[in-house]
């Protein structure tokens, strides 16, 4: 099956949790295959809400989301999960599954009730654990591993879903520097070689700048600026959104903006 170049189109999306406050206003953007789009913005600016809308967990009050050219509201949750996988900010699970069982859950959308799981499902699941260096955690209780280890297991689960679009919420927050680099390299390889597309929320502006092809800067539920890291991460935009005067330098190798204190 061939897929259109535009994976996702977000059109005039508005969203409110209640009657007295608008959480997202007039959100418009599209994402192309192979792109990593970073979402940045201060706490409460609507980053997680936007990811939840894209993954179909929340329905927009107004506006439309088009996934692979089709309106998201015609997809069942099972169908969405064949195309979109999510690594949430909070990966805590209330049940004591083994790590490998959590990863295997990524195959659920594909397993037929009649035929059951196949060798291929186990192969894909194991491969994702190898790629994310979580295979040594296979037999461990998901509740008894560190936050960073759990994050790697959840990225493996998301890859096991073999998505077209991967949604990440602060996926590096618990990762040590070495895993941060490795995960970034792994995802960049998947973007290039497997045609994966990624939308990721970042707290760390410097990582967002290094990792992303384009950035969306959210400010009070609106897009303050969308563009390349060079276009978005400047004094004027950051001051508007974060209300502090940042100092910006250019990364010596990568030539992208970096914010210093
Ligand atoms: P961010 O991810 O940028 O920190 P969020 O999307 O989590 O922002 O939140 C945006 C706004 O929506 C905040 O004002 C937050 O308090 C509010 N909000 C988030 N989740 C809920 C909820 N379940 N019910 C009501 N308000 C919420």
């Amino acid at each position: 099956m061939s897929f259109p170049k535009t994976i996702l189109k977000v059109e005039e999306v508005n969203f409110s949790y209640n009657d007295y406050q608008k959480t997202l206003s007039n959100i418009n953007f599209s994402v192309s295959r192979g792109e990593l789009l970073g979402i940045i913005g201060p706490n409460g600016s609507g980053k997680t809400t936007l990811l939840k809308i894209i993954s179909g967990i929340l329905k927009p009050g107004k506006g439309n989301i088009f996934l692979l050219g089709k309106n998201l509201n015609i997809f069942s949750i099972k169908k969405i999960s064949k195309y979109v996988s999510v690594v949430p900010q909070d990966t805590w699970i209330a049940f004591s599954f083994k790590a490998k069982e959590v990863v295997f859950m990524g195959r659920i959308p594909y397993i037929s009730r009649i035929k059951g799981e196949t060798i291929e499902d186990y192969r894909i699941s194991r491969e994702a654990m190898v790629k994310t260096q979580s295979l040594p955690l296979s037999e461990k209780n998901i509740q008894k591993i560190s936050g960073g280890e759990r994050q790697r297991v959840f990225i493996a689960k998301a890859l096991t879903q073999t998505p077209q679009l991967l949604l990440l919420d602060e996926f590096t927050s618990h990762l040590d520097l070495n895993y941060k680099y490795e995960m970034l390299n792994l995802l960049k390889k998947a973007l290039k070689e497997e045609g994966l597309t990624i939308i990721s929320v970042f707290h760390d502006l410097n990582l967002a700048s290094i990792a992303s092809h384009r950035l969306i800067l959210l400010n009070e539920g609106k897009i303050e600026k969308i563009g390349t890291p060079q276009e978005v991460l400047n004094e004027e935009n950051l001051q508007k959104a974060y209300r502090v005067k940042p100092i910006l330098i250019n990364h010596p190798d990568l030539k992208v903006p970096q914010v210093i204190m």
Side-chain angles (χ1 to χ4, degrees):
M1 183 174 176
S2 73
F3 292 111
K5 192 173 178 312
T6 300
I7 296 286
L8 184 87
K9 189 160 187 240
V10 174
E11 210 174 70
E12 290 294 320
V13 160
N14 286 261
F15 179 83
S16 307
Y17 285 103
N18 48 48
D19 292 341
Y20 50 88
Q21 196 189 7
K22 229 175 179 189
T23 307
L24 293 171
S25 310
N26 302 329
I27 304 292
N28 289 290
F29 66 92
S30 19
V31 193
S32 305
R33 173 173 304 283
E35 188 176 18
L36 196 158
L37 177 74
I39 304 177
I40 54 171
N43 292 333
S45 57
K47 305 181 293 296
T48 298
T49 305
L50 182 55
L51 273 200
K52 285 183 179 166
I53 287 178
I54 295 168
S55 63
I57 296 173
L58 295 174
K59 304 265 169 265
K62 257 201 258 166
N64 290 297
I65 313 277
F66 296 95
L67 178 64
L68 301 161
K70 296 195 180 105
N71 201 315
L72 196 64
N73 60 25
I74 66 157
F75 287 78
S76 64
I77 287 291
K78 185 174 173 183
K79 189 103 192 257
I80 294 176
S81 50
K82 283 188 178 174
Y83 296 117
V84 183
S85 61
V86 186
V87 179
Q89 200 171 3
D90 182 8
T91 52
W92 175 251
I93 305 192
F95 300 97
S96 53
F97 290 109
K98 286 182 181 174
K100 68 177 185 189
E101 292 168 339
V102 172
V103 175
F104 195 74
M105 285 174 201
R107 294 309 295 163
I108 288 174
Y110 299 92
I111 296 173
S112 128
R113 244 186 262 167
I114 298 158
K115 288 191 202 144
E117 60 263 35
T118 64
I119 292 172
E120 183 65 358
D121 292 317
Y122 284 102
R123 189 194 62 74
I124 292 170
S125 170
R126 191 175 193 280
E127 194 179 285
M129 291 193 90
V130 171
K131 277 186 187 166
T132 53
Q133 300 184 49
S134 54
L135 198 60
L137 305 169
S138 289
E139 301 297 326
K140 294 209 171 153
N141 179 338
I142 193 75
Q143 292 178 321
K144 294 190 177 152
I145 58 178
S146 73
E149 289 171 334
R150 236 179 21 244
Q151 241 165 359
R152 271 153 48 214
V153 169
F154 271 79
I155 293 173
K157 172 179 180 274
L159 295 177
T160 295
Q161 248 170 278
T162 58
Q164 297 292 312
L165 177 62
L166 177 59
L167 303 179
L168 303 167
D169 199 348
E170 308 272 1
F171 74 103
T172 58
S173 56
H174 295 283
L175 297 180
D176 288 336
L177 197 59
N178 55 333
Y179 284 122
K180 224 176 243 198
Y181 276 113
E182 273 156 23
M183 208 52 80
L184 208 56
N185 287 336
L186 160 77
L187 295 176
K188 280 192 166 163
K189 203 165 167 234
L191 293 171
K192 243 188 178 165
E193 293 172 11
E194 294 164 29
L196 185 68
T197 305
I198 300 176
I199 301 178
S200 178
V201 165
F202 290 97
H203 244 308
D204 181 340
L205 298 181
N206 293 338
L207 188 66
S209 178
I210 289 170
S212 312
H213 297 110
R214 280 189 308 151
L215 290 172
I216 285 181
L217 172 61
L218 282 182
N219 184 13
E220 294 179 347
K222 297 191 181 83
I223 294 184
E224 182 67 54
K225 182 77 185 172
I226 178 165
T228 61
Q230 286 85 349
E231 288 165 337
V232 174
L233 295 175
N234 61 36
E235 238 182 61
E236 189 191 345
N237 294 333
L238 292 178
Q239 211 168 349
K240 273 190 204 154
Y242 292 90
R243 292 171 179 81
V244 288
K245 199 168 177 220
I247 299 172
L248 287 146
I249 56 165
N250 235 359
H251 190 291
D253 295 333
L254 305 169
K255 310 292 175 213
V256 290
Q258 297 286 282
V259 184
I260 55 171
M261 297 290 281

